[in-house]
Amino acid sequence: MFDRLKAVEDRYEKLNELLSDPEIVNDPKKLREYSKEQSDLQETVQVYREYKEVQKQLRDAKSLLSEKLDPEMKDMVKEEIHELESKIPEYEERLKILLLPKDPNDEKNVIVEIRGAAGGDEAALFAGDLYRMYTRYAESQGWKIDVIEANVTGIGGYKEIVFMVNGKGAYSRLKFENGAHRVQRVPETESGGRIHTSTATVAVLPEAEEVEVDINEKDIRVDTFASSGPGGQSVNTTMSAVRLTHIPTGIVVSCQDEKSQIKNKEKAMKVLRARIYDKFQQEAQAEYDANRKSAVGTGDRSERIRTYNFPQNRVTDHRIGLTIQKLDQVLDGKLDEIIDALILEDQSKKLESVNG
């Protein structure tokens, strides 16, 4: 591990030199590439240097202990040694995690797709609750939300809503939201007070850069149509809404959120690129079918990653067996407790596989 850490530190120093080189400064592509690499290594190098400093302080304190000291001073040095020794395992564990292979998509913006699934109008209302939850969470992280497509129901929910989350590390925090989310509550339309179970599916796709997905314009069919609101009500009489069909894969994306056809096409292209990237990425892992079914599911009640139980103010994440009695807070966007636990579990599994 320490050989790898030394190599990371050496590379970091080399990047510092390269980023001061006028030839690199005048080459935007290399400058961006090296700056990103340096930024990715920065935390590991910083923690490694802190670790080395603690080791140095520990050696100094131990050598001091071998000298003639009065009892009070000796006790102080022993206390310092104990304190420094307790920090070592913490640093080593943190460094092991920092050396784990990084998901190349972690720093990317994401496109989130929420669809009401089993449960009719109640599922659509729940999809709206999830959209509000992610919006609040994005606000708390300083991220920006940009709606791409929204299919609103008459009672205020969403059959489907697609939106982009712009912000550093958005994918690293939201990728665990992929799957079927189940809600248990008494619907407003239920007069008998019976608890109903409904589901909505969430798909989280990393935004793909143009260089990552080569899409031939000839492979895209572009259709334009007038935007419409709930119940088919005309919102915009101009042909500003855009539907893109990628003929080789059959992927279809619509966007009517903007009044400008050009802006709608730009947004739709971002979603199309992300969906194609996601498809190719899954296929490259040779587990496309299994991954897609387990990640997003069909929306059936049995295929769930998380349950939101209103009568008991309870949220349960079934993947890690975590239950918290804070449903109101979670739906208000306070997701960190759940997301942190999922990240910790993911890191633990990766450490187990590395350690054999």
Side-chain angles (χ1 to χ4, degrees):
M1 180 174 91
F2 297 107
D3 288 343
R4 285 176 65 199
L5 286 165
K6 180 71 172 68
V8 167
E9 188 179 37
D10 290 345
R11 178 60 183 165
Y12 184 80
E13 287 300 330
K14 180 65 179 171
L15 287 165
N16 273 339
E17 289 175 27
L18 288 167
L19 289 167
S20 306
D21 186 332
E23 197 176 311
I24 302 297
V25 172
N26 293 320
D27 184 335
K29 187 171 178 243
K30 281 188 177 174
L31 185 65
R32 190 167 58 249
E33 184 187 317
Y34 290 151
S35 295
K36 186 185 181 306
E37 188 184 351
Q38 188 199 45
S39 174
D40 290 344
L41 299 178
Q42 191 166 0
E43 187 183 359
T44 307
V45 171
Q46 184 183 326
V47 175
Y48 178 48
R49 286 175 176 172
E50 286 174 15
Y51 172 77
K52 287 195 294 183
E53 180 57 31
V54 169
Q55 289 276 30
K56 180 181 177 299
Q57 288 173 10
L58 183 59
R59 284 195 302 272
D60 291 346
K62 283 181 174 177
S63 67
L64 190 64
L65 202 59
S66 63
E67 296 176 15
K68 287 184 178 179
L69 301 171
D70 63 69
E72 192 178 337
M73 187 66 177
K74 199 166 192 174
D75 286 343
M76 282 174 63
V77 173
K78 280 182 178 176
E79 194 177 322
E80 186 186 356
I81 288 170
H82 177 71
E83 195 179 314
L84 290 166
E85 282 179 338
S86 69
K87 288 181 180 179
I88 301 289
E90 292 172 21
Y91 271 107
E92 288 178 352
E93 193 63 24
R94 197 171 162 200
L95 287 166
K96 280 180 193 173
I97 288 167
L98 286 167
L99 284 175
L100 287 172
K102 299 265 193 311
D103 184 330
N105 295 319
D106 271 353
E107 294 305 306
K108 290 184 178 179
N109 300 328
V110 296
I111 289 162
V112 181
E113 304 175 355
I114 305 174
R115 295 178 179 86
D121 285 343
E122 173 63 8
L125 285 170
F126 180 50
D129 292 337
L130 291 175
Y131 169 61
R132 179 179 173 273
M133 176 179 81
Y134 293 130
T135 302
R136 291 288 179 90
Y137 182 65
E139 285 170 3
S140 74
Q141 300 294 309
W143 299 336
K144 182 175 169 285
I145 293 270
D146 194 10
V147 174
I148 292 166
E149 174 72 358
N151 187 343
V152 185
T153 62
I155 58 169
Y158 293 100
K159 285 181 184 172
E160 175 187 35
I161 181 160
V162 180
F163 57 97
M164 188 154 190
V165 183
N166 295 283
K168 185 175 170 63
Y171 186 75
S172 70
R173 303 291 294 171
L174 292 175
K175 63 184 174 184
F176 299 103
E177 296 305 297
N178 255 326
H181 296 240
R182 181 175 74 163
V183 63
Q184 294 171 326
R185 65 183 171 191
V186 179
E188 291 175 19
T189 52
E190 169 60 54
S191 56
R194 288 184 302 118
I195 294 171
H196 284 228
T197 298
S198 308
T199 57
T201 60
V202 177
V204 180
L205 311 176
E207 183 188 13
E209 303 293 333
E210 286 185 46
V211 292
E212 293 172 307
V213 182
D214 184 20
I215 301 175
N216 192 325
E217 286 287 336
K218 292 176 185 174
D219 290 337
I220 299 172
R221 188 175 73 240
V222 181
D223 298 306
T224 57
F225 54 98
S227 297
S228 61
Q233 175 190 349
S234 178
V235 171
N236 186 349
T237 53
T238 62
M239 305 294 277
S240 61
V242 173
R243 183 186 298 111
L244 303 181
T245 304
H246 186 244
I247 297 161
T249 59
I251 293 171
V252 180
V253 176
S254 300
C255 183
Q256 59 174 18
D257 191 58
E258 301 283 351
K259 290 180 181 177
S260 154
Q261 189 184 113
I262 293 169
K263 285 184 179 176
N264 278 330
K265 188 179 177 186
E266 283 175 4
K267 281 187 172 184
M269 272 302 294
K270 283 187 176 183
V271 179
L272 185 66
R273 200 176 288 119
R275 286 186 187 170
I276 292 170
Y277 177 69
D278 181 59
K279 179 177 169 62
F280 290 162
Q281 197 178 36
Q282 298 279 9
E283 286 175 344
Q285 292 170 3
E287 297 168 351
Y288 176 75
D289 288 331
N291 279 0
R292 200 66 182 158
K293 280 176 188 167
S294 64
V296 180
T298 61
D300 186 83
R301 289 179 179 88
S302 63
E303 295 182 50
R304 64 191 188 276
I305 62 161
R306 194 176 296 151
T307 295
Y308 305 74
N309 183 292
F310 274 70
Q312 296 176 26
N313 195 38
R314 185 185 75 217
V315 180
T316 300
D317 196 289
H318 304 287
R319 293 163 294 180
I320 54 174
L322 174 71
T323 296
I324 54 175
Q325 309 289 141
K326 299 176 184 176
L327 172 66
D328 51 342
Q329 294 179 36
V330 168
L331 287 177
D332 201 38
K334 293 178 175 63
L335 282 166
D336 278 331
E337 186 174 347
I338 296 173
I339 290 173
D340 287 343
L342 286 162
I343 289 172
L344 187 64
E345 176 71 9
D346 183 56
Q347 288 173 343
S348 299
K349 283 183 176 173
K350 284 177 180 171
L351 278 172
E352 280 175 24
S353 65
V354 169
N355 294 334

